[in-house]
Amino acid sequence: SVNFSVSGQDADPYGLFFRSDGAKMYVAGDVGNDINEYNLSTPWTVSSASYSQNFSVASQESAPNGVFFKTDGTKMFVVGTATDTVYEYALSSAWDISSASYSSVSFSVGSQDTAPHDISFNTDGTKMFIVGSTGDNVYEYALSSAWVVSSASYTRSFSLASQETGPMGLFFSEDGLNMVVIGASGVNKYVLTSAFDISSASHSQAFSVSSQENDPQALFFKSDGTKMYVVGSGSDTVYQYSTSVSLTPAQSYFVQTDGTL
């Protein structure tokens, strides 16, 4: 199997994100209260990863769980369970976390969930999504100023409880028609009939990663949906899965065949 251990940087990797070209990977670490950056010499192949540098978020959040970047890499967003707040950071050099600084811009999601574990946005930054394990929901927010989290307002929630009572990670496909959640029960995929509108979501597929990771925390997909990545705090390792490519984008985010992705 293709995998990469991050245990040298953090024993509790909770968040996962890739640059759009697959040449950089970012892991949120709960022990070090930081974001760790890795370079992939072969894009989208985690076994080619090497540790580059880290950025501490400890002054804002002592339990970072989720990390997300603006499309152009000039902003980073972190959410955690110590303060139940989303923090916004500016990167003066895109995708280079050593150039990051806290923007003094934040948004509390504690009124919706006191255990927010991951964060996602739609492609233009006008919607933000949080997954939380207190309510076992995905929460949707509208941003009146794109990519400015202080402009967020709560819109609606979507219950995951029928499939997952310990949701930890959240991912949306770029077209907004696939939402994927990972947690104690494994991976669950939802199809949205209206892009990035969680009220239109319905459960589609499930997949277990327990043979690789018994405490999965976050997941990410390659841009075209043909590879899935899972990180967890049981083995402190990023695992790579190949997915069956089908003819329609709405289905390319894992079609289960013979018990494997």
Side-chain angles (χ1 to χ4, degrees), residues 160-173:
L160 307 165
S162 298
Q163 292 81 39
E164 179 60 74
T165 55
M168 303 300 288
L170 176 66
F171 181 88
F172 283 86
S173 58

Side-chain angles (χ1 to χ4, degrees), residues 13-259:
Y14 280 178
L16 182 65
F17 193 90
F18 285 77
R19 195 169 71 179
S20 54
D21 64 357
K24 278 186 182 287
M25 176 176 77
Y26 304 85
V27 174
D30 187 52
V31 173
N33 303 328
D34 58 2
I35 309 301
N36 296 288
E37 178 184 319
Y38 301 83
N39 293 319
L40 281 71
S41 56
T42 303
W44 299 112
T45 302
V46 293
S47 55
S48 76
S50 58
Y51 173 65
S52 174
Q53 57 192 355
N54 70 330
F55 176 80
S56 175
V57 295
S59 298
Q60 290 80 45
E61 175 60 62
S62 61
N65 275 233
V67 58
F68 195 94
F69 285 80
K70 183 181 175 182
T71 317
D72 64 3
T74 61
K75 284 191 177 186
M76 179 176 73
F77 304 89
V78 173
V79 69
T81 55
T83 64
D84 307 331
T85 295
V86 179
Y87 297 95
E88 182 179 315
Y89 301 84
L91 284 74
S92 55
S93 178
W95 303 107
D96 177 1
I97 60 171
S98 69
S99 75
S101 59
Y102 177 48
S103 301
S104 297
V105 177
S106 65
F107 178 79
S108 173
V109 296
S111 298
Q112 285 74 54
D113 206 289
T114 54
H117 290 296
D118 209 355
I119 181 172
S120 188
F121 288 80
N122 66 347
T123 46
D124 66 3
T126 57
K127 283 190 176 186
M128 178 177 75
F129 304 90
I130 296 289
V131 65
S133 63
T134 301
D136 302 328
N137 289 318
V138 175
Y139 304 92
E140 180 182 316
Y141 303 82
L143 281 71
S144 54
S145 296
W147 300 111
V148 179
V149 295
S150 56
S151 76
S153 57
Y154 172 59
T155 307
R156 59 175 66 91
S157 66
F158 176 82
S159 176
L160 307 165
S162 298
Q163 292 81 39
E164 179 60 74
T165 55
M168 303 300 288
L170 176 66
F171 181 88
F172 283 86
S173 58
E174 289 179 14
D175 62 8
L177 299 176
N178 298 273
M179 178 177 76
V180 191
V181 174
I182 195 166
S185 72
V187 181
N188 282 284
K189 173 189 161 181
Y190 302 81
V191 173
L192 287 71
T193 54
S194 180
F196 292 108
D197 176 359
I198 61 173
S199 66
S200 74
S202 59
H203 185 248
S204 169
Q205 289 178 293
F207 179 79
S208 174
V209 296
S210 59
S211 54
Q212 290 80 41
E213 174 58 63
N214 59 19
D215 193 12
Q217 297 288 330
L219 82 167
F220 203 88
F221 281 81
K222 184 181 176 182
S223 312
D224 63 3
T226 60
K227 290 184 178 181
M228 181 178 78
Y229 307 86
V230 170
V231 69
S233 55
S235 62
D236 307 330
T237 295
V238 180
Y239 293 95
Q240 179 176 318
Y241 302 80
S242 295
T243 66
S244 303
V245 185
S246 83
L247 299 176
T248 58
Q251 291 176 317
S252 64
Y253 285 77
F254 76 85
V255 176
Q256 194 169 333
T257 55
D258 301 322

